[in-house]
Amino acid sequence: MSESEYKIADGSGKFLQAVKDGRRMKDAQWTNGRILLSNKRIVLAGNDGKRNLPLSEVQGLSGRYDVNQTVAEVGDYVSIRMSSESVVLVSLGSNTETFESKLYGALLDQTELQVKHPAVKGGVVTDEQFERARIKVDEEELSVAMSNGSFVSVELDDVGSAEAASLDVNGQKKPVLKVEHTVDQDTSVQTYFATDTHTASILESLLTKEAQKSQGSVELSETEKRVLMALYSGVSSFEIPDFLGMDVDEVESIFERLIEVDVLEEVRKRREVTMKTRGRNIASEAINEE
């Protein structure tokens, strides 16, 4: 390694090339070996030699590429999409998720970009301006240090959506990622991240993956949807019975059910609840259907 290169992660695992020049490799087989991550590249070393994947050529981390049964049988792997229209799969067993988090960190940490926060708050567009910022990734949050001294924390399991767009940023068209999340537990906001195409692609991979985790379908009754819509509109959990004309016991039972299906989160035992990302998604869809 050069003086400017340093090791971030190093472990044993297996890897294979699932896509080459845009073509799926249906006969691909896993190679056991050493997997090293530095601030400049990923090194895959096996009995047949060593392969380098420059981080500058990583376009994003995708979903599963089960090109054959051998790949499908592996429960957890990272799909690394390269600029050469190839996809390389890497698995480190129980350490795969940690490796993926460190890889996102290597790709994004200390990246300078422009951030508008909040761009939208409670459904209302704000007059905030884009400001210079730096970001840092860990396993639970995306930390944003603004040039004005403020600090924004985007909890990854709280991301509701991540939408790519092209917007005017200080007089120049740039790729922008619109990220919906919450602040102060229950206030829905959108934060805009403006950067170059490569960084935007990596950031979109990270935040879209997190948003998809909260969008699994849940079958809810009309009454349960009414409760969610009321909470989404700002009604306190304590005021729900009077607001909807329901018995307290019935509301308590609905809260129990929605907590069980990961839609609500209990704040304290006196049955105060706050909405989770999945709950906001369901409530927003129900309101749009009205």
Side-chain angles (χ1 to χ4, degrees), residues 18-58:
V19 179
K20 182 178 181 180
D21 298 326
R23 182 172 60 87
R24 285 178 172 255
M25 309 294 287
K26 295 183 180 180
D27 59 349
Q29 296 295 317
W30 291 104
T31 296
N32 294 318
R34 179 185 177 193
I35 300 165
L36 184 146
L37 170 66
S38 79
N39 61 317
K40 294 183 179 295
R41 57 183 170 156
I42 304 166
V43 180
L44 307 176
N47 291 335
D48 296 332
K50 182 172 67 174
R51 181 178 181 184
N52 292 307
L53 305 178
L55 297 189
S56 60
E57 296 180 15
V58 175

mmCIF file of all heavy atoms in Angstrom, residues 18-58:
data_model
loop_
_atom_site.group_PDB
_atom_site.id
_atom_site.type_symbol
_atom_site.label_atom_id
_atom_site.label_comp_id
_atom_site.label_asym_id
_atom_site.label_seq_id
_atom_site.Cartn_x
_atom_site.Cartn_y
_atom_site.Cartn_z
ATOM 1 N N ALA A 18 -20.771 -12.067 -10.583
ATOM 2 C CA ALA A 18 -22.108 -12.482 -11.002
ATOM 3 C C ALA A 18 -22.490 -11.901 -12.358
ATOM 4 O O ALA A 18 -23.287 -12.500 -13.091
ATOM 5 C CB ALA A 18 -23.135 -12.052 -9.953
ATOM 6 N N VAL A 19 -21.948 -10.736 -12.695
ATOM 7 C CA VAL A 19 -22.235 -10.089 -13.980
ATOM 8 C C VAL A 19 -20.921 -9.601 -14.574
ATOM 9 O O VAL A 19 -20.108 -8.984 -13.877
ATOM 10 C CB VAL A 19 -23.200 -8.890 -13.804
ATOM 11 C CG1 VAL A 19 -23.457 -8.218 -15.147
ATOM 12 C CG2 VAL A 19 -24.510 -9.335 -13.169
ATOM 13 N N LYS A 20 -20.705 -9.883 -15.858
ATOM 14 C CA LYS A 20 -19.490 -9.434 -16.548
ATOM 15 C C LYS A 20 -19.889 -8.774 -17.858
ATOM 16 O O LYS A 20 -20.590 -9.375 -18.675
ATOM 17 C CB LYS A 20 -18.560 -10.624 -16.820
ATOM 18 C CG LYS A 20 -17.249 -10.227 -17.482
ATOM 19 C CD LYS A 20 -16.344 -11.441 -17.671
ATOM 20 C CE LYS A 20 -15.016 -11.048 -18.306
ATOM 21 N NZ LYS A 20 -14.131 -12.225 -18.494
ATOM 22 N N ASP A 21 -19.479 -7.521 -18.046
ATOM 23 C CA ASP A 21 -19.814 -6.752 -19.253
ATOM 24 C C ASP A 21 -21.319 -6.775 -19.516
ATOM 25 O O ASP A 21 -21.768 -6.893 -20.668
ATOM 26 C CB ASP A 21 -19.066 -7.312 -20.473
ATOM 27 C CG ASP A 21 -17.558 -7.216 -20.314
ATOM 28 O OD1 ASP A 21 -17.101 -6.239 -19.695
ATOM 29 O OD2 ASP A 21 -16.848 -8.129 -20.783
ATOM 30 N N GLY A 22 -22.093 -6.690 -18.439
ATOM 31 C CA GLY A 22 -23.546 -6.650 -18.566
ATOM 32 C C GLY A 22 -24.212 -7.998 -18.710
ATOM 33 O O GLY A 22 -25.443 -8.086 -18.792
ATOM 34 N N ARG A 23 -23.440 -9.094 -18.734
ATOM 35 C CA ARG A 23 -24.001 -10.445 -18.925
ATOM 36 C C ARG A 23 -23.918 -11.249 -17.632
ATOM 37 O O ARG A 23 -22.870 -11.317 -16.999
ATOM 38 C CB ARG A 23 -23.232 -11.177 -20.024
ATOM 39 C CG ARG A 23 -23.750 -12.572 -20.344
ATOM 40 C CD ARG A 23 -23.039 -13.118 -21.576
ATOM 41 N NE ARG A 23 -21.609 -13.215 -21.369
ATOM 42 C CZ ARG A 23 -21.002 -14.283 -20.822
ATOM 43 N NH1 ARG A 23 -21.724 -15.329 -20.424
ATOM 44 N NH2 ARG A 23 -19.696 -14.305 -20.689
ATOM 45 N N ARG A 24 -25.046 -11.837 -17.231
ATOM 46 C CA ARG A 24 -25.085 -12.656 -16.020
ATOM 47 C C ARG A 24 -24.292 -13.940 -16.216
ATOM 48 O O ARG A 24 -24.443 -14.626 -17.226
ATOM 49 C CB ARG A 24 -26.532 -13.001 -15.639
ATOM 50 C CG ARG A 24 -27.282 -11.828 -15.028
ATOM 51 C CD ARG A 24 -28.717 -12.196 -14.699
ATOM 52 N NE ARG A 24 -29.368 -11.116 -13.953
ATOM 53 C CZ ARG A 24 -29.619 -11.151 -12.652
ATOM 54 N NH1 ARG A 24 -29.266 -12.207 -11.948
ATOM 55 N NH2 ARG A 24 -30.206 -10.137 -12.055
ATOM 56 N N MET A 25 -23.461 -14.265 -15.224
ATOM 57 C CA MET A 25 -22.603 -15.453 -15.290
ATOM 58 C C MET A 25 -23.307 -16.611 -14.570
ATOM 59 O O MET A 25 -23.149 -16.804 -13.357
ATOM 60 C CB MET A 25 -21.252 -15.147 -14.643
ATOM 61 C CG MET A 25 -20.592 -13.881 -15.167
ATOM 62 S SD MET A 25 -20.110 -14.021 -16.907
ATOM 63 C CE MET A 25 -18.703 -15.121 -16.757
ATOM 64 N N LYS A 26 -24.099 -17.372 -15.315
ATOM 65 C CA LYS A 26 -24.915 -18.415 -14.702
ATOM 66 C C LYS A 26 -24.100 -19.587 -14.154
ATOM 67 O O LYS A 26 -24.582 -20.358 -13.328
ATOM 68 C CB LYS A 26 -25.942 -18.929 -15.716
ATOM 69 C CG LYS A 26 -26.960 -17.862 -16.119
ATOM 70 C CD LYS A 26 -28.003 -18.416 -17.068
ATOM 71 C CE LYS A 26 -29.012 -17.339 -17.458
ATOM 72 N NZ LYS A 26 -30.044 -17.859 -18.395
ATOM 73 N N ASP A 27 -22.856 -19.730 -14.610
ATOM 74 C CA ASP A 27 -22.017 -20.830 -14.131
ATOM 75 C C ASP A 27 -20.994 -20.355 -13.094
ATOM 76 O O ASP A 27 -20.038 -21.067 -12.788
ATOM 77 C CB ASP A 27 -21.292 -21.494 -15.298
ATOM 78 C CG ASP A 27 -20.412 -20.507 -16.066
ATOM 79 O OD1 ASP A 27 -20.542 -19.286 -15.822
ATOM 80 O OD2 ASP A 27 -19.607 -20.959 -16.901
ATOM 81 N N ALA A 28 -21.187 -19.162 -12.536
ATOM 82 C CA ALA A 28 -20.234 -18.594 -11.569
ATOM 83 C C ALA A 28 -20.150 -19.444 -10.311
ATOM 84 O O ALA A 28 -21.153 -19.997 -9.843
ATOM 85 C CB ALA A 28 -20.651 -17.169 -11.203
ATOM 86 N N GLN A 29 -18.952 -19.566 -9.761
ATOM 87 C CA GLN A 29 -18.726 -20.336 -8.541
ATOM 88 C C GLN A 29 -17.978 -19.465 -7.522
ATOM 89 O O GLN A 29 -17.155 -18.632 -7.883
ATOM 90 C CB GLN A 29 -17.899 -21.586 -8.849
ATOM 91 C CG GLN A 29 -18.589 -22.573 -9.763
ATOM 92 C CD GLN A 29 -19.831 -23.179 -9.136
ATOM 93 O OE1 GLN A 29 -19.831 -23.542 -7.963
ATOM 94 N NE2 GLN A 29 -20.903 -23.290 -9.924
ATOM 95 N N TRP A 30 -18.270 -19.693 -6.256
ATOM 96 C CA TRP A 30 -17.613 -18.942 -5.196
ATOM 97 C C TRP A 30 -16.124 -19.303 -5.112
ATOM 98 O O TRP A 30 -15.745 -20.456 -5.302
ATOM 99 C CB TRP A 30 -18.259 -19.234 -3.839
ATOM 100 C CG TRP A 30 -19.649 -18.692 -3.670
ATOM 101 C CD1 TRP A 30 -20.814 -19.408 -3.713
ATOM 102 C CD2 TRP A 30 -20.021 -17.337 -3.419
ATOM 103 N NE1 TRP A 30 -21.890 -18.584 -3.502
ATOM 104 C CE2 TRP A 30 -21.440 -17.300 -3.316
ATOM 105 C CE3 TRP A 30 -19.305 -16.150 -3.270
ATOM 106 C CZ2 TRP A 30 -22.142 -16.128 -3.069
ATOM 107 C CZ3 TRP A 30 -20.008 -14.972 -3.024
ATOM 108 C CH2 TRP A 30 -21.412 -14.966 -2.931
ATOM 109 N N THR A 31 -15.305 -18.295 -4.796
ATOM 110 C CA THR A 31 -13.884 -18.497 -4.524
ATOM 111 C C THR A 31 -13.612 -18.107 -3.081
ATOM 112 O O THR A 31 -13.960 -16.997 -2.654
ATOM 113 C CB THR A 31 -13.009 -17.625 -5.448
ATOM 114 O OG1 THR A 31 -13.205 -18.033 -6.798
ATOM 115 C CG2 THR A 31 -11.534 -17.755 -5.079
ATOM 116 N N ASN A 32 -13.039 -18.997 -2.310
ATOM 117 C CA ASN A 32 -12.684 -18.683 -0.929
ATOM 118 C C ASN A 32 -11.384 -17.887 -0.902
ATOM 119 O O ASN A 32 -10.473 -18.132 -1.707
ATOM 120 C CB ASN A 32 -12.518 -19.964 -0.104
ATOM 121 C CG ASN A 32 -13.813 -20.723 0.052
ATOM 122 O OD1 ASN A 32 -14.866 -20.133 0.279
ATOM 123 N ND2 ASN A 32 -13.761 -22.036 -0.092
ATOM 124 N N GLY A 33 -11.296 -16.959 0.035
ATOM 125 C CA GLY A 33 -10.063 -16.193 0.117
ATOM 126 C C GLY A 33 -10.132 -15.061 1.125
ATOM 127 O O GLY A 33 -10.989 -15.030 2.005
ATOM 128 N N ARG A 34 -9.210 -14.142 0.963
ATOM 129 C CA ARG A 34 -9.090 -12.991 1.857
ATOM 130 C C ARG A 34 -9.726 -11.773 1.194
ATOM 131 O O ARG A 34 -9.530 -11.530 0.003
ATOM 132 C CB ARG A 34 -7.608 -12.726 2.150
ATOM 133 C CG ARG A 34 -7.343 -11.530 3.057
ATOM 134 C CD ARG A 34 -5.849 -11.296 3.177
ATOM 135 N NE ARG A 34 -5.527 -10.123 3.970
ATOM 136 C CZ ARG A 34 -4.327 -9.554 4.018
ATOM 137 N NH1 ARG A 34 -3.331 -10.083 3.304
ATOM 138 N NH2 ARG A 34 -4.116 -8.484 4.752
ATOM 139 N N ILE A 35 -10.465 -11.008 1.994
ATOM 140 C CA ILE A 35 -11.133 -9.800 1.492
ATOM 141 C C ILE A 35 -10.621 -8.618 2.300
ATOM 142 O O ILE A 35 -10.795 -8.571 3.523
ATOM 143 C CB ILE A 35 -12.664 -9.930 1.614
ATOM 144 C CG1 ILE A 35 -13.145 -11.136 0.805
ATOM 145 C CG2 ILE A 35 -13.348 -8.650 1.144
ATOM 146 C CD1 ILE A 35 -14.545 -11.578 1.113
ATOM 147 N N LEU A 36 -9.972 -7.687 1.609
ATOM 148 C CA LEU A 36 -9.398 -6.518 2.278
ATOM 149 C C LEU A 36 -10.023 -5.250 1.720
ATOM 150 O O LEU A 36 -10.155 -5.104 0.497
ATOM 151 C CB LEU A 36 -7.883 -6.495 2.085
ATOM 152 C CG LEU A 36 -7.105 -5.380 2.802
ATOM 153 C CD1 LEU A 36 -5.735 -5.891 3.225
ATOM 154 C CD2 LEU A 36 -6.940 -4.145 1.912
ATOM 155 N N LEU A 37 -10.397 -4.346 2.616
ATOM 156 C CA LEU A 37 -10.957 -3.048 2.224
ATOM 157 C C LEU A 37 -10.032 -1.948 2.712
ATOM 158 O O LEU A 37 -9.685 -1.900 3.894
ATOM 159 C CB LEU A 37 -12.352 -2.877 2.833
ATOM 160 C CG LEU A 37 -12.978 -1.484 2.724
ATOM 161 C CD1 LEU A 37 -13.261 -1.131 1.261
ATOM 162 C CD2 LEU A 37 -14.262 -1.402 3.551
ATOM 163 N N SER A 38 -9.621 -1.074 1.794
ATOM 164 C CA SER A 38 -8.832 0.101 2.164
ATOM 165 C C SER A 38 -9.614 1.352 1.779
ATOM 166 O O SER A 38 -10.741 1.273 1.275
ATOM 167 C CB SER A 38 -7.477 0.087 1.454
ATOM 168 O OG SER A 38 -7.606 0.520 0.106
ATOM 169 N N ASN A 39 -9.042 2.495 2.006
ATOM 170 C CA ASN A 39 -9.701 3.748 1.628
ATOM 171 C C ASN A 39 -9.637 4.008 0.125
ATOM 172 O O ASN A 39 -10.219 4.979 -0.358
ATOM 173 C CB ASN A 39 -9.060 4.931 2.369
ATOM 174 C CG ASN A 39 -7.583 5.097 2.031
ATOM 175 O OD1 ASN A 39 -6.844 4.111 1.961
ATOM 176 N ND2 ASN A 39 -7.147 6.327 1.844
ATOM 177 N N LYS A 40 -8.965 3.111 -0.629
ATOM 178 C CA LYS A 40 -8.854 3.295 -2.069
ATOM 179 C C LYS A 40 -9.392 2.132 -2.899
ATOM 180 O O LYS A 40 -9.752 2.302 -4.063
ATOM 181 C CB LYS A 40 -7.387 3.528 -2.458
ATOM 182 C CG LYS A 40 -6.814 4.833 -1.910
ATOM 183 C CD LYS A 40 -5.394 5.025 -2.387
ATOM 184 C CE LYS A 40 -4.811 6.337 -1.861
ATOM 185 N NZ LYS A 40 -5.510 7.523 -2.397
ATOM 186 N N ARG A 41 -9.477 0.926 -2.312
ATOM 187 C CA ARG A 41 -9.848 -0.238 -3.121
ATOM 188 C C ARG A 41 -10.337 -1.391 -2.257
ATOM 189 O O ARG A 41 -10.185 -1.389 -1.039
ATOM 190 C CB ARG A 41 -8.651 -0.706 -3.944
ATOM 191 C CG ARG A 41 -7.446 -1.024 -3.073
ATOM 192 C CD ARG A 41 -6.220 -1.430 -3.854
ATOM 193 N NE ARG A 41 -5.046 -1.498 -2.998
ATOM 194 C CZ ARG A 41 -3.971 -2.228 -3.232
ATOM 195 N NH1 ARG A 41 -3.911 -2.990 -4.302
ATOM 196 N NH2 ARG A 41 -2.951 -2.212 -2.394
ATOM 197 N N ILE A 42 -10.918 -2.388 -2.943
ATOM 198 C CA ILE A 42 -11.243 -3.680 -2.347
ATOM 199 C C ILE A 42 -10.307 -4.694 -2.991
ATOM 200 O O ILE A 42 -10.190 -4.747 -4.219
ATOM 201 C CB ILE A 42 -12.702 -4.084 -2.627
ATOM 202 C CG1 ILE A 42 -13.671 -3.009 -2.130
ATOM 203 C CG2 ILE A 42 -13.025 -5.430 -1.972
ATOM 204 C CD1 ILE A 42 -15.073 -3.172 -2.668
ATOM 205 N N VAL A 43 -9.636 -5.480 -2.162
ATOM 206 C CA VAL A 43 -8.718 -6.509 -2.679
ATOM 207 C C VAL A 43 -9.334 -7.876 -2.404
ATOM 208 O O VAL A 43 -9.672 -8.197 -1.258
ATOM 209 C CB VAL A 43 -7.333 -6.415 -2.019
ATOM 210 C CG1 VAL A 43 -6.412 -7.494 -2.582
ATOM 211 C CG2 VAL A 43 -6.732 -5.024 -2.226
ATOM 212 N N LEU A 44 -9.483 -8.686 -3.457
ATOM 213 C CA LEU A 44 -10.006 -10.045 -3.352
ATOM 214 C C LEU A 44 -8.865 -11.001 -3.694
ATOM 215 O O LEU A 44 -8.413 -11.046 -4.846
ATOM 216 C CB LEU A 44 -11.177 -10.242 -4.313
ATOM 217 C CG LEU A 44 -12.317 -9.221 -4.203
ATOM 218 C CD1 LEU A 44 -13.365 -9.470 -5.279
ATOM 219 C CD2 LEU A 44 -12.954 -9.254 -2.818
ATOM 220 N N ALA A 45 -8.385 -11.726 -2.702
ATOM 221 C CA ALA A 45 -7.220 -12.591 -2.899
ATOM 222 C C ALA A 45 -7.593 -14.054 -2.678
ATOM 223 O O ALA A 45 -8.036 -14.438 -1.599
ATOM 224 C CB ALA A 45 -6.100 -12.193 -1.945
ATOM 225 N N GLY A 46 -7.426 -14.875 -3.719
ATOM 226 C CA GLY A 46 -7.695 -16.308 -3.629
ATOM 227 C C GLY A 46 -6.522 -17.111 -4.163
ATOM 228 O O GLY A 46 -5.470 -16.555 -4.499
ATOM 229 N N ASN A 47 -6.681 -18.416 -4.272
ATOM 230 C CA ASN A 47 -5.602 -19.272 -4.763
ATOM 231 C C ASN A 47 -5.213 -18.954 -6.196
ATOM 232 O O ASN A 47 -4.078 -19.221 -6.620
ATOM 233 C CB ASN A 47 -6.022 -20.749 -4.660
ATOM 234 C CG ASN A 47 -6.114 -21.217 -3.214
ATOM 235 O OD1 ASN A 47 -5.458 -20.663 -2.338
ATOM 236 N ND2 ASN A 47 -6.947 -22.228 -2.975
ATOM 237 N N ASP A 48 -6.150 -18.392 -6.965
ATOM 238 C CA ASP A 48 -5.875 -18.099 -8.370
ATOM 239 C C ASP A 48 -5.291 -16.704 -8.589
ATOM 240 O O ASP A 48 -5.098 -16.288 -9.736
ATOM 241 C CB ASP A 48 -7.162 -18.234 -9.201
ATOM 242 C CG ASP A 48 -7.680 -19.669 -9.201
ATOM 243 O OD1 ASP A 48 -6.852 -20.582 -9.050
ATOM 244 O OD2 ASP A 48 -8.900 -19.856 -9.342
ATOM 245 N N GLY A 49 -5.034 -15.992 -7.516
ATOM 246 C CA GLY A 49 -4.469 -14.655 -7.681
ATOM 247 C C GLY A 49 -5.249 -13.592 -6.928
ATOM 248 O O GLY A 49 -6.096 -13.885 -6.077
ATOM 249 N N LYS A 50 -4.969 -12.350 -7.256
ATOM 250 C CA LYS A 50 -5.539 -11.214 -6.548
ATOM 251 C C LYS A 50 -6.236 -10.275 -7.528
ATOM 252 O O LYS A 50 -5.742 -10.044 -8.630
ATOM 253 C CB LYS A 50 -4.413 -10.471 -5.810
ATOM 254 C CG LYS A 50 -4.866 -9.288 -4.984
ATOM 255 C CD LYS A 50 -3.715 -8.755 -4.142
ATOM 256 C CE LYS A 50 -2.624 -8.145 -4.979
ATOM 257 N NZ LYS A 50 -1.560 -7.508 -4.180
ATOM 258 N N ARG A 51 -7.386 -9.745 -7.108
ATOM 259 C CA ARG A 51 -8.123 -8.786 -7.938
ATOM 260 C C ARG A 51 -8.364 -7.511 -7.147
ATOM 261 O O ARG A 51 -8.735 -7.566 -5.974
ATOM 262 C CB ARG A 51 -9.452 -9.388 -8.395
ATOM 263 C CG ARG A 51 -10.262 -8.438 -9.279
ATOM 264 C CD ARG A 51 -11.538 -9.060 -9.770
ATOM 265 N NE ARG A 51 -12.272 -8.147 -10.626
ATOM 266 C CZ ARG A 51 -13.470 -8.388 -11.141
ATOM 267 N NH1 ARG A 51 -14.076 -9.551 -10.889
ATOM 268 N NH2 ARG A 51 -14.079 -7.500 -11.912
ATOM 269 N N ASN A 52 -8.166 -6.361 -7.800
ATOM 270 C CA ASN A 52 -8.398 -5.068 -7.169
ATOM 271 C C ASN A 52 -9.656 -4.425 -7.735
ATOM 272 O O ASN A 52 -9.841 -4.370 -8.960
ATOM 273 C CB ASN A 52 -7.214 -4.126 -7.416
ATOM 274 C CG ASN A 52 -5.960 -4.579 -6.688
ATOM 275 O OD1 ASN A 52 -5.996 -4.807 -5.492
ATOM 276 N ND2 ASN A 52 -4.872 -4.726 -7.432
ATOM 277 N N LEU A 53 -10.517 -3.926 -6.862
ATOM 278 C CA LEU A 53 -11.701 -3.171 -7.261
ATOM 279 C C LEU A 53 -11.530 -1.743 -6.755
ATOM 280 O O LEU A 53 -11.736 -1.467 -5.561
ATOM 281 C CB LEU A 53 -12.973 -3.790 -6.664
ATOM 282 C CG LEU A 53 -13.241 -5.278 -6.934
ATOM 283 C CD1 LEU A 53 -14.521 -5.707 -6.227
ATOM 284 C CD2 LEU A 53 -13.330 -5.554 -8.424
ATOM 285 N N PRO A 54 -11.136 -0.792 -7.609
ATOM 286 C CA PRO A 54 -10.961 0.596 -7.162
ATOM 287 C C PRO A 54 -12.286 1.191 -6.681
ATOM 288 O O PRO A 54 -13.313 1.032 -7.347
ATOM 289 C CB PRO A 54 -10.464 1.313 -8.423
ATOM 290 C CG PRO A 54 -9.931 0.225 -9.307
ATOM 291 C CD PRO A 54 -10.782 -0.977 -9.028
ATOM 292 N N LEU A 55 -12.270 1.853 -5.540
ATOM 293 C CA LEU A 55 -13.498 2.450 -5.020
ATOM 294 C C LEU A 55 -14.033 3.525 -5.958
ATOM 295 O O LEU A 55 -15.249 3.761 -6.005
ATOM 296 C CB LEU A 55 -13.252 3.043 -3.628
ATOM 297 C CG LEU A 55 -12.857 2.059 -2.519
ATOM 298 C CD1 LEU A 55 -12.861 2.768 -1.166
ATOM 299 C CD2 LEU A 55 -13.770 0.845 -2.481
ATOM 300 N N SER A 56 -13.147 4.154 -6.715
ATOM 301 C CA SER A 56 -13.573 5.191 -7.655
ATOM 302 C C SER A 56 -14.438 4.636 -8.775
ATOM 303 O O SER A 56 -15.150 5.385 -9.457
ATOM 304 C CB SER A 56 -12.357 5.897 -8.258
ATOM 305 O OG SER A 56 -11.532 4.967 -8.949
ATOM 306 N N GLU A 57 -14.402 3.300 -8.972
ATOM 307 C CA GLU A 57 -15.191 2.676 -10.035
ATOM 308 C C GLU A 57 -16.437 1.966 -9.510
ATOM 309 O O GLU A 57 -17.186 1.376 -10.286
ATOM 310 C CB GLU A 57 -14.315 1.680 -10.809
ATOM 311 C CG GLU A 57 -13.161 2.339 -11.545
ATOM 312 C CD GLU A 57 -12.297 1.348 -12.298
ATOM 313 O OE1 GLU A 57 -12.756 0.187 -12.486
ATOM 314 O OE2 GLU A 57 -11.174 1.703 -12.686
ATOM 315 N N VAL A 58 -16.665 2.023 -8.192
ATOM 316 C CA VAL A 58 -17.871 1.428 -7.610
ATOM 317 C C VAL A 58 -19.044 2.365 -7.853
ATOM 318 O O VAL A 58 -19.037 3.529 -7.445
ATOM 319 C CB VAL A 58 -17.699 1.182 -6.097
ATOM 320 C CG1 VAL A 58 -19.013 0.681 -5.489
ATOM 321 C CG2 VAL A 58 -16.582 0.169 -5.850
#
